[in-house]
Amino acid sequence: VGEKTQFTIAFSQCIGDDAWRETMLDEMKRELSFYPNIEFIYRDASGDNQKQIQHIRELLEQNIDLLVVSPNEAEPLTPIVDSVFHKNIPVIVTDRKTSSGLYNAYVGADNVAIGRLAGQFIVHTLKGHGQVGIVTGLKGTSASIERKKGLLDALDSAGTVRLGIEIRSNWERQNAYEQAKHHIDQFLQQDIILAFNDQMAFGVIQALREAGENHKRVIGVDALSGKGNGLSEIAKGRLFASMLYPTGGTEAIRTAVAILQRKPYKRDNILGTVVINQDNAGLMMLQSNKIQEQQKDIDKRQELIVEQNKIYRDQQTTLNVLITS
Ligand code: FRU
């Protein structure tokens, strides 16, 4: 029996229409363009657990060779993702996790470490004293649970910075804005605010501005490059800081390819993080612009190769026709 050469990778995304996840998908597609033998099926569950469960059920009927999944909320998605694993279809979880730990590989940053880093940065910024308000993400997402755990670890070991107001949001700017507006008096009393992603931080900043407060220190997570995203908002001095949270799109596909080609791969692929603030945002922007330029160049070359291959195949067909006629 010959080795299998054609593969289908399915990607079940919890929510598709935010800049961070669009970046993740772009990275995946770029990496996939090097593997014309891989078919890619993409499903966006729009933040709906039931829809994501349904998507994975449908994907199972399509004879996929591997599933990449970013589970919307951990508990509800666990049984269906486990069932994929039990069918011996390799599973890569990315960014968010299920609650069972049944997967072949995880690709993403360590969210406990991110929370801890944010906590240490806050303790350092407040010189050890004060009150921090927090805005957490959607209740059942592992990223939110883990970030909070890391934050509390750091605050506990410092012992002097208190947790102030805590708002449970859903990762989205508008919801964080509305809730911050609703509790604005308490938000105004915090010495610093940590929102568990930049989008929610932007919502909080907007509510504070509408209350006439333009200088409150608000921190986020993601530090995504691109217009209007975390990195440039830090450089402009609007967002105080953010913990870099790489999307891992490239690494997810590389891991998938290694699994399919039966090459060695790591179970835990932990992507690095770092605090971005006014001191290094400019440098990070320069670097990311440079990388984007290089990537455009790679894309162009890649298109050329595809075109050349097509011309070559067309010529082969013509040649065959000539020979056989
Ligand atoms: C994007 C996002 C990020 C956050 C991550 C957590 O959908 O909300 O902003 O860091 O998901 O899973």
Side-chain angles (χ1 to χ4, degrees), residues 15 18 20-21 95-96 143 147 171 196-197 221-222 245:
I15 183 165
D18 66 60
W20 189 82
R21 289 185 194 272
D95 147 57
R96 299 181 186 175
R147 284 173 197 178
W171 300 117
F196 281 13
N197 75 356
V221 176
D222 282 347
Y245 190 54

Side-chain angles (χ1 to χ4, degrees), residues 13-21 24 70-72 94-97 111 114 137-138 141-144 147 170-172 196-200 221-222 243 245:
Q13 177 66 294
C14 50
I15 183 165
D17 68 345
D18 66 60
W20 189 82
R21 289 185 194 272
M24 183 197 274
S70 185
N72 190 50
T94 181
D95 147 57
R96 299 181 186 175
K97 292 176 176 168
N111 280 300
I114 290 211
L138 185 68
T141 46
S142 62
S144 186
R147 284 173 197 178
N170 65 350
W171 300 117
E172 286 170 23
F196 281 13
N197 75 356
D198 291 346
Q199 287 303 322
M200 297 189 296
V221 176
D222 282 347
M243 311 299 121
Y245 190 54

